[in-house]
PDB file of all heavy atoms in Angstrom:
ATOM      1  N   LEU A 121     -22.709 141.188 -81.777  1.00  0.00           N
ATOM      2  CA  LEU A 121     -21.420 140.689 -81.318  1.00  0.00           C
ATOM      3  C   LEU A 121     -21.644 139.352 -80.631  1.00  0.00           C
ATOM      4  O   LEU A 121     -22.376 139.264 -79.637  1.00  0.00           O
ATOM      5  CB  LEU A 121     -20.772 141.674 -80.340  1.00  0.00           C
ATOM      6  CG  LEU A 121     -19.457 141.210 -79.691  1.00  0.00           C
ATOM      7  CD1 LEU A 121     -18.393 140.930 -80.743  1.00  0.00           C
ATOM      8  CD2 LEU A 121     -18.954 142.229 -78.676  1.00  0.00           C
ATOM      9  N   VAL A 122     -21.042 138.294 -81.174  1.00  0.00           N
ATOM     10  CA  VAL A 122     -21.182 136.957 -80.611  1.00  0.00           C
ATOM     11  C   VAL A 122     -19.875 136.569 -79.929  1.00  0.00           C
ATOM     12  O   VAL A 122     -18.814 136.578 -80.554  1.00  0.00           O
ATOM     13  CB  VAL A 122     -21.519 135.911 -81.697  1.00  0.00           C
ATOM     14  CG1 VAL A 122     -21.638 134.521 -81.075  1.00  0.00           C
ATOM     15  CG2 VAL A 122     -22.810 136.286 -82.410  1.00  0.00           C
ATOM     16  N   ILE A 123     -19.951 136.238 -78.649  1.00  0.00           N
ATOM     17  CA  ILE A 123     -18.798 135.710 -77.933  1.00  0.00           C
ATOM     18  C   ILE A 123     -18.790 134.219 -78.234  1.00  0.00           C
ATOM     19  O   ILE A 123     -19.608 133.462 -77.717  1.00  0.00           O
ATOM     20  CB  ILE A 123     -18.890 135.968 -76.416  1.00  0.00           C
ATOM     21  CG1 ILE A 123     -19.282 137.432 -76.148  1.00  0.00           C
ATOM     22  CG2 ILE A 123     -17.566 135.621 -75.737  1.00  0.00           C
ATOM     23  CD1 ILE A 123     -18.331 138.450 -76.745  1.00  0.00           C
ATOM     24  N   ALA A 124     -17.864 133.814 -79.100  1.00  0.00           N
ATOM     25  CA  ALA A 124     -17.954 132.480 -79.711  1.00  0.00           C
ATOM     26  C   ALA A 124     -16.861 131.525 -79.200  1.00  0.00           C
ATOM     27  O   ALA A 124     -16.359 131.674 -78.100  1.00  0.00           O
ATOM     28  CB  ALA A 124     -17.904 132.625 -81.228  1.00  0.00           C
ATOM     29  N   GLY A 125     -16.561 130.520 -80.036  1.00  0.00           N
ATOM     30  CA  GLY A 125     -15.551 129.531 -79.682  1.00  0.00           C
ATOM     31  C   GLY A 125     -16.106 128.156 -79.376  1.00  0.00           C
ATOM     32  O   GLY A 125     -15.373 127.251 -78.992  1.00  0.00           O
ATOM     33  N   THR A 126     -17.431 127.978 -79.525  1.00  0.00           N
ATOM     34  CA  THR A 126     -18.055 126.683 -79.266  1.00  0.00           C
ATOM     35  C   THR A 126     -18.890 126.268 -80.477  1.00  0.00           C
ATOM     36  O   THR A 126     -19.188 127.080 -81.358  1.00  0.00           O
ATOM     37  CB  THR A 126     -19.002 126.749 -78.048  1.00  0.00           C
ATOM     38  OG1 THR A 126     -20.066 127.672 -78.337  1.00  0.00           O
ATOM     39  CG2 THR A 126     -18.259 127.202 -76.796  1.00  0.00           C
ATOM     40  N   ILE A 127     -19.286 125.005 -80.495  1.00  0.00           N
ATOM     41  CA  ILE A 127     -20.149 124.525 -81.573  1.00  0.00           C
ATOM     42  C   ILE A 127     -21.499 125.236 -81.518  1.00  0.00           C
ATOM     43  O   ILE A 127     -22.115 125.516 -82.551  1.00  0.00           O
ATOM     44  CB  ILE A 127     -20.333 122.991 -81.494  1.00  0.00           C
ATOM     45  CG1 ILE A 127     -21.090 122.493 -82.728  1.00  0.00           C
ATOM     46  CG2 ILE A 127     -21.030 122.572 -80.206  1.00  0.00           C
ATOM     47  CD1 ILE A 127     -21.125 120.979 -82.855  1.00  0.00           C
ATOM     48  N   ASP A 128     -21.962 125.562 -80.308  1.00  0.00           N
ATOM     49  CA  ASP A 128     -23.219 126.296 -80.162  1.00  0.00           C
ATOM     50  C   ASP A 128     -23.111 127.661 -80.834  1.00  0.00           C
ATOM     51  O   ASP A 128     -24.028 128.099 -81.531  1.00  0.00           O
ATOM     52  CB  ASP A 128     -23.544 126.506 -78.680  1.00  0.00           C
ATOM     53  CG  ASP A 128     -23.390 125.253 -77.858  1.00  0.00           C
ATOM     54  OD1 ASP A 128     -24.131 124.299 -78.130  1.00  0.00           O
ATOM     55  OD2 ASP A 128     -22.539 125.229 -76.962  1.00  0.00           O
ATOM     56  N   ALA A 129     -21.988 128.335 -80.602  1.00  0.00           N
ATOM     57  CA  ALA A 129     -21.791 129.666 -81.180  1.00  0.00           C
ATOM     58  C   ALA A 129     -21.791 129.602 -82.702  1.00  0.00           C
ATOM     59  O   ALA A 129     -22.330 130.493 -83.368  1.00  0.00           O
ATOM     60  CB  ALA A 129     -20.483 130.267 -80.673  1.00  0.00           C
ATOM     61  N   ARG A 130     -21.193 128.557 -83.256  1.00  0.00           N
ATOM     62  CA  ARG A 130     -21.165 128.432 -84.719  1.00  0.00           C
ATOM     63  C   ARG A 130     -22.580 128.250 -85.265  1.00  0.00           C
ATOM     64  O   ARG A 130     -22.923 128.800 -86.316  1.00  0.00           O
ATOM     65  CB  ARG A 130     -20.256 127.267 -85.131  1.00  0.00           C
ATOM     66  CG  ARG A 130     -18.795 127.509 -84.780  1.00  0.00           C
ATOM     67  CD  ARG A 130     -17.866 126.573 -85.517  1.00  0.00           C
ATOM     68  NE  ARG A 130     -17.993 125.193 -85.124  1.00  0.00           N
ATOM     69  CZ  ARG A 130     -17.368 124.645 -84.065  1.00  0.00           C
ATOM     70  NH1 ARG A 130     -16.600 125.404 -83.288  1.00  0.00           N
ATOM     71  NH2 ARG A 130     -17.510 123.373 -83.787  1.00  0.00           N
ATOM     72  N   GLN A 131     -23.400 127.493 -84.568  1.00  0.00           N
ATOM     73  CA  GLN A 131     -24.794 127.319 -84.998  1.00  0.00           C
ATOM     74  C   GLN A 131     -25.545 128.649 -84.933  1.00  0.00           C
ATOM     75  O   GLN A 131     -26.334 128.976 -85.827  1.00  0.00           O
ATOM     76  CB  GLN A 131     -25.482 126.284 -84.105  1.00  0.00           C
ATOM     77  CG  GLN A 131     -24.930 124.878 -84.281  1.00  0.00           C
ATOM     78  CD  GLN A 131     -25.457 123.911 -83.228  1.00  0.00           C
ATOM     79  OE1 GLN A 131     -26.124 124.304 -82.276  1.00  0.00           O
ATOM     80  NE2 GLN A 131     -25.142 122.637 -83.386  1.00  0.00           N
ATOM     81  N   ILE A 132     -25.271 129.428 -83.891  1.00  0.00           N
ATOM     82  CA  ILE A 132     -25.924 130.732 -83.743  1.00  0.00           C
ATOM     83  C   ILE A 132     -25.462 131.687 -84.836  1.00  0.00           C
ATOM     84  O   ILE A 132     -26.277 132.389 -85.449  1.00  0.00           O
ATOM     85  CB  ILE A 132     -25.635 131.302 -82.337  1.00  0.00           C
ATOM     86  CG1 ILE A 132     -26.384 130.485 -81.281  1.00  0.00           C
ATOM     87  CG2 ILE A 132     -26.017 132.784 -82.255  1.00  0.00           C
ATOM     88  CD1 ILE A 132     -25.980 130.786 -79.852  1.00  0.00           C
ATOM     89  N   VAL A 133     -24.161 131.717 -85.102  1.00  0.00           N
ATOM     90  CA  VAL A 133     -23.620 132.570 -86.159  1.00  0.00           C
ATOM     91  C   VAL A 133     -24.262 132.218 -87.493  1.00  0.00           C
ATOM     92  O   VAL A 133     -24.656 133.105 -88.273  1.00  0.00           O
ATOM     93  CB  VAL A 133     -22.083 132.447 -86.240  1.00  0.00           C
ATOM     94  CG1 VAL A 133     -21.556 133.052 -87.543  1.00  0.00           C
ATOM     95  CG2 VAL A 133     -21.440 133.132 -85.047  1.00  0.00           C
ATOM     96  N   GLU A 134     -24.371 130.936 -87.787  1.00  0.00           N
ATOM     97  CA  GLU A 134     -24.972 130.491 -89.050  1.00  0.00           C
ATOM     98  C   GLU A 134     -26.401 131.006 -89.192  1.00  0.00           C
ATOM     99  O   GLU A 134     -26.788 131.516 -90.244  1.00  0.00           O
ATOM    100  CB  GLU A 134     -24.946 128.965 -89.125  1.00  0.00           C
ATOM    101  CG  GLU A 134     -25.520 128.412 -90.416  1.00  0.00           C
ATOM    102  CD  GLU A 134     -25.460 126.892 -90.491  1.00  0.00           C
ATOM    103  OE1 GLU A 134     -25.275 126.247 -89.434  1.00  0.00           O
ATOM    104  OE2 GLU A 134     -25.595 126.358 -91.602  1.00  0.00           O
ATOM    105  N   GLN A 135     -27.185 130.896 -88.115  1.00  0.00           N
ATOM    106  CA  GLN A 135     -28.580 131.338 -88.163  1.00  0.00           C
ATOM    107  C   GLN A 135     -28.683 132.860 -88.277  1.00  0.00           C
ATOM    108  O   GLN A 135     -29.554 133.381 -88.980  1.00  0.00           O
ATOM    109  CB  GLN A 135     -29.324 130.852 -86.922  1.00  0.00           C
ATOM    110  CG  GLN A 135     -29.520 129.341 -86.858  1.00  0.00           C
ATOM    111  CD  GLN A 135     -30.249 128.799 -88.068  1.00  0.00           C
ATOM    112  OE1 GLN A 135     -31.291 129.323 -88.468  1.00  0.00           O
ATOM    113  NE2 GLN A 135     -29.703 127.755 -88.680  1.00  0.00           N
ATOM    114  N   LEU A 136     -27.802 133.565 -87.601  1.00  0.00           N
ATOM    115  CA  LEU A 136     -27.812 135.028 -87.668  1.00  0.00           C
ATOM    116  C   LEU A 136     -27.510 135.511 -89.081  1.00  0.00           C
ATOM    117  O   LEU A 136     -28.149 136.442 -89.588  1.00  0.00           O
ATOM    118  CB  LEU A 136     -26.790 135.602 -86.687  1.00  0.00           C
ATOM    119  CG  LEU A 136     -27.130 135.487 -85.197  1.00  0.00           C
ATOM    120  CD1 LEU A 136     -25.940 135.915 -84.347  1.00  0.00           C
ATOM    121  CD2 LEU A 136     -28.352 136.328 -84.848  1.00  0.00           C
ATOM    122  N   LEU A 137     -26.530 134.883 -89.721  1.00  0.00           N
ATOM    123  CA  LEU A 137     -26.176 135.273 -91.089  1.00  0.00           C
ATOM    124  C   LEU A 137     -27.320 134.988 -92.055  1.00  0.00           C
ATOM    125  O   LEU A 137     -27.590 135.777 -92.970  1.00  0.00           O
ATOM    126  CB  LEU A 137     -24.905 134.541 -91.525  1.00  0.00           C
ATOM    127  CG  LEU A 137     -23.616 134.960 -90.806  1.00  0.00           C
ATOM    128  CD1 LEU A 137     -22.476 134.026 -91.172  1.00  0.00           C
ATOM    129  CD2 LEU A 137     -23.248 136.406 -91.140  1.00  0.00           C
ATOM    130  N   LYS A 138     -28.004 133.873 -91.850  1.00  0.00           N
ATOM    131  CA  LYS A 138     -29.147 133.545 -92.692  1.00  0.00           C
ATOM    132  C   LYS A 138     -30.260 134.575 -92.521  1.00  0.00           C
ATOM    133  O   LYS A 138     -30.969 134.908 -93.473  1.00  0.00           O
ATOM    134  CB  LYS A 138     -29.684 132.140 -92.361  1.00  0.00           C
ATOM    135  CG  LYS A 138     -28.813 131.010 -92.861  1.00  0.00           C
ATOM    136  CD  LYS A 138     -29.418 129.661 -92.497  1.00  0.00           C
ATOM    137  CE  LYS A 138     -28.562 128.502 -93.005  1.00  0.00           C
ATOM    138  NZ  LYS A 138     -29.130 127.189 -92.609  1.00  0.00           N
ATOM    139  N   TYR A 139     -30.403 135.092 -91.327  1.00  0.00           N
ATOM    140  CA  TYR A 139     -31.441 136.085 -91.044  1.00  0.00           C
ATOM    141  C   TYR A 139     -31.088 137.436 -91.662  1.00  0.00           C
ATOM    142  O   TYR A 139     -31.970 138.231 -91.966  1.00  0.00           O
ATOM    143  CB  TYR A 139     -31.630 136.220 -89.534  1.00  0.00           C
ATOM    144  CG  TYR A 139     -32.665 137.232 -89.137  1.00  0.00           C
ATOM    145  CD1 TYR A 139     -33.995 137.108 -89.553  1.00  0.00           C
ATOM    146  CD2 TYR A 139     -32.317 138.330 -88.355  1.00  0.00           C
ATOM    147  CE1 TYR A 139     -34.946 138.056 -89.196  1.00  0.00           C
ATOM    148  CE2 TYR A 139     -33.267 139.284 -87.994  1.00  0.00           C
ATOM    149  CZ  TYR A 139     -34.583 139.132 -88.406  1.00  0.00           C
ATOM    150  OH  TYR A 139     -35.514 140.076 -88.052  1.00  0.00           O
ATOM    151  N   GLY A 140     -29.784 137.682 -91.845  1.00  0.00           N
ATOM    152  CA  GLY A 140     -29.385 138.902 -92.537  1.00  0.00           C
ATOM    153  C   GLY A 140     -28.823 140.003 -91.672  1.00  0.00           C
ATOM    154  O   GLY A 140     -28.661 141.136 -92.136  1.00  0.00           O
ATOM    155  N   VAL A 141     -28.494 139.692 -90.424  1.00  0.00           N
ATOM    156  CA  VAL A 141     -27.856 140.708 -89.585  1.00  0.00           C
ATOM    157  C   VAL A 141     -26.342 140.641 -89.781  1.00  0.00           C
ATOM    158  O   VAL A 141     -25.800 139.652 -90.287  1.00  0.00           O
ATOM    159  CB  VAL A 141     -28.199 140.523 -88.090  1.00  0.00           C
ATOM    160  CG1 VAL A 141     -29.689 140.658 -87.869  1.00  0.00           C
ATOM    161  CG2 VAL A 141     -27.698 139.187 -87.564  1.00  0.00           C
ATOM    162  N   SER A 142     -25.659 141.691 -89.367  1.00  0.00           N
ATOM    163  CA  SER A 142     -24.203 141.732 -89.457  1.00  0.00           C
ATOM    164  C   SER A 142     -23.620 141.094 -88.198  1.00  0.00           C
ATOM    165  O   SER A 142     -24.063 141.390 -87.084  1.00  0.00           O
ATOM    166  CB  SER A 142     -23.734 143.181 -89.584  1.00  0.00           C
ATOM    167  OG  SER A 142     -22.332 143.246 -89.664  1.00  0.00           O
ATOM    168  N   VAL A 143     -22.642 140.200 -88.370  1.00  0.00           N
ATOM    169  CA  VAL A 143     -22.120 139.433 -87.240  1.00  0.00           C
ATOM    170  C   VAL A 143     -20.618 139.627 -87.068  1.00  0.00           C
ATOM    171  O   VAL A 143     -19.845 139.440 -88.017  1.00  0.00           O
ATOM    172  CB  VAL A 143     -22.414 137.921 -87.407  1.00  0.00           C
ATOM    173  CG1 VAL A 143     -21.856 137.140 -86.218  1.00  0.00           C
ATOM    174  CG2 VAL A 143     -23.905 137.669 -87.552  1.00  0.00           C
ATOM    175  N   THR A 144     -20.217 139.990 -85.863  1.00  0.00           N
ATOM    176  CA  THR A 144     -18.817 139.957 -85.451  1.00  0.00           C
ATOM    177  C   THR A 144     -18.697 138.893 -84.367  1.00  0.00           C
ATOM    178  O   THR A 144     -19.487 138.892 -83.409  1.00  0.00           O
ATOM    179  CB  THR A 144     -18.351 141.317 -84.905  1.00  0.00           C
ATOM    180  OG1 THR A 144     -18.373 142.279 -85.949  1.00  0.00           O
ATOM    181  CG2 THR A 144     -16.925 141.220 -84.355  1.00  0.00           C
ATOM    182  N   ALA A 145     -17.745 137.985 -84.521  1.00  0.00           N
ATOM    183  CA  ALA A 145     -17.581 136.899 -83.557  1.00  0.00           C
ATOM    184  C   ALA A 145     -16.174 136.918 -82.976  1.00  0.00           C
ATOM    185  O   ALA A 145     -15.190 137.046 -83.712  1.00  0.00           O
ATOM    186  CB  ALA A 145     -17.842 135.550 -84.221  1.00  0.00           C
ATOM    187  N   THR A 146     -16.079 136.806 -81.663  1.00  0.00           N
ATOM    188  CA  THR A 146     -14.776 136.752 -81.002  1.00  0.00           C
ATOM    189  C   THR A 146     -14.457 135.314 -80.611  1.00  0.00           C
ATOM    190  O   THR A 146     -15.328 134.569 -80.169  1.00  0.00           O
ATOM    191  CB  THR A 146     -14.748 137.627 -79.739  1.00  0.00           C
ATOM    192  OG1 THR A 146     -15.600 137.045 -78.734  1.00  0.00           O
ATOM    193  CG2 THR A 146     -15.210 139.039 -80.032  1.00  0.00           C
ATOM    194  N   VAL A 147     -13.205 134.930 -80.803  1.00  0.00           N
ATOM    195  CA  VAL A 147     -12.716 133.615 -80.398  1.00  0.00           C
ATOM    196  C   VAL A 147     -11.354 133.805 -79.736  1.00  0.00           C
ATOM    197  O   VAL A 147     -10.658 134.786 -80.009  1.00  0.00           O
ATOM    198  CB  VAL A 147     -12.584 132.642 -81.591  1.00  0.00           C
ATOM    199  CG1 VAL A 147     -13.945 132.300 -82.167  1.00  0.00           C
ATOM    200  CG2 VAL A 147     -11.686 133.233 -82.672  1.00  0.00           C
ATOM    201  N   THR A 148     -10.969 132.875 -78.887  1.00  0.00           N
ATOM    202  CA  THR A 148      -9.692 133.021 -78.186  1.00  0.00           C
ATOM    203  C   THR A 148      -8.544 132.330 -78.904  1.00  0.00           C
ATOM    204  O   THR A 148      -7.387 132.649 -78.649  1.00  0.00           O
ATOM    205  CB  THR A 148      -9.795 132.453 -76.756  1.00  0.00           C
ATOM    206  OG1 THR A 148     -10.211 131.074 -76.818  1.00  0.00           O
ATOM    207  CG2 THR A 148     -10.807 133.252 -75.941  1.00  0.00           C
ATOM    208  N   THR A 149      -8.852 131.396 -79.811  1.00  0.00           N
ATOM    209  CA  THR A 149      -7.793 130.632 -80.460  1.00  0.00           C
ATOM    210  C   THR A 149      -7.876 130.731 -81.982  1.00  0.00           C
ATOM    211  O   THR A 149      -8.935 131.024 -82.546  1.00  0.00           O
ATOM    212  CB  THR A 149      -7.864 129.140 -80.070  1.00  0.00           C
ATOM    213  OG1 THR A 149      -9.082 128.573 -80.593  1.00  0.00           O
ATOM    214  CG2 THR A 149      -7.831 128.966 -78.554  1.00  0.00           C
ATOM    215  N   HIS A 150      -6.752 130.435 -82.611  1.00  0.00           N
ATOM    216  CA  HIS A 150      -6.708 130.403 -84.072  1.00  0.00           C
ATOM    217  C   HIS A 150      -7.608 129.290 -84.606  1.00  0.00           C
ATOM    218  O   HIS A 150      -8.266 129.455 -85.634  1.00  0.00           O
ATOM    219  CB  HIS A 150      -5.271 130.187 -84.540  1.00  0.00           C
ATOM    220  CG  HIS A 150      -5.138 130.073 -86.034  1.00  0.00           C
ATOM    221  ND1 HIS A 150      -5.349 131.144 -86.884  1.00  0.00           N
ATOM    222  CD2 HIS A 150      -4.855 128.998 -86.832  1.00  0.00           C
ATOM    223  CE1 HIS A 150      -5.189 130.751 -88.131  1.00  0.00           C
ATOM    224  NE2 HIS A 150      -4.899 129.461 -88.131  1.00  0.00           N
ATOM    225  N   LEU A 151      -7.638 128.161 -83.887  1.00  0.00           N
ATOM    226  CA  LEU A 151      -8.498 127.046 -84.307  1.00  0.00           C
ATOM    227  C   LEU A 151      -9.960 127.482 -84.303  1.00  0.00           C
ATOM    228  O   LEU A 151     -10.710 127.189 -85.242  1.00  0.00           O
ATOM    229  CB  LEU A 151      -8.303 125.852 -83.377  1.00  0.00           C
ATOM    230  CG  LEU A 151      -9.194 124.630 -83.634  1.00  0.00           C
ATOM    231  CD1 LEU A 151      -8.981 124.093 -85.041  1.00  0.00           C
ATOM    232  CD2 LEU A 151      -8.936 123.539 -82.599  1.00  0.00           C
ATOM    233  N   GLY A 152     -10.367 128.199 -83.254  1.00  0.00           N
ATOM    234  CA  GLY A 152     -11.738 128.679 -83.189  1.00  0.00           C
ATOM    235  C   GLY A 152     -12.069 129.597 -84.352  1.00  0.00           C
ATOM    236  O   GLY A 152     -13.157 129.524 -84.922  1.00  0.00           O
ATOM    237  N   GLY A 153     -11.099 130.429 -84.724  1.00  0.00           N
ATOM    238  CA  GLY A 153     -11.302 131.327 -85.860  1.00  0.00           C
ATOM    239  C   GLY A 153     -11.418 130.581 -87.172  1.00  0.00           C
ATOM    240  O   GLY A 153     -12.257 130.904 -88.019  1.00  0.00           O
ATOM    241  N   SER A 154     -10.582 129.560 -87.341  1.00  0.00           N
ATOM    242  CA  SER A 154     -10.589 128.796 -88.594  1.00  0.00           C
ATOM    243  C   SER A 154     -11.913 128.058 -88.788  1.00  0.00           C
ATOM    244  O   SER A 154     -12.384 127.908 -89.920  1.00  0.00           O
ATOM    245  CB  SER A 154      -9.421 127.801 -88.617  1.00  0.00           C
ATOM    246  OG  SER A 154      -9.582 126.797 -87.619  1.00  0.00           O
TER     247      SER A 154
END
């Protein structure tokens, strides 16, 4: 579970997906989700 919404979080999500784990990310805004 990644508490996201920043450029740092997006970089972390990208690396996690490449590694092959399952990722759920929370964001507070629609823009963050997009």
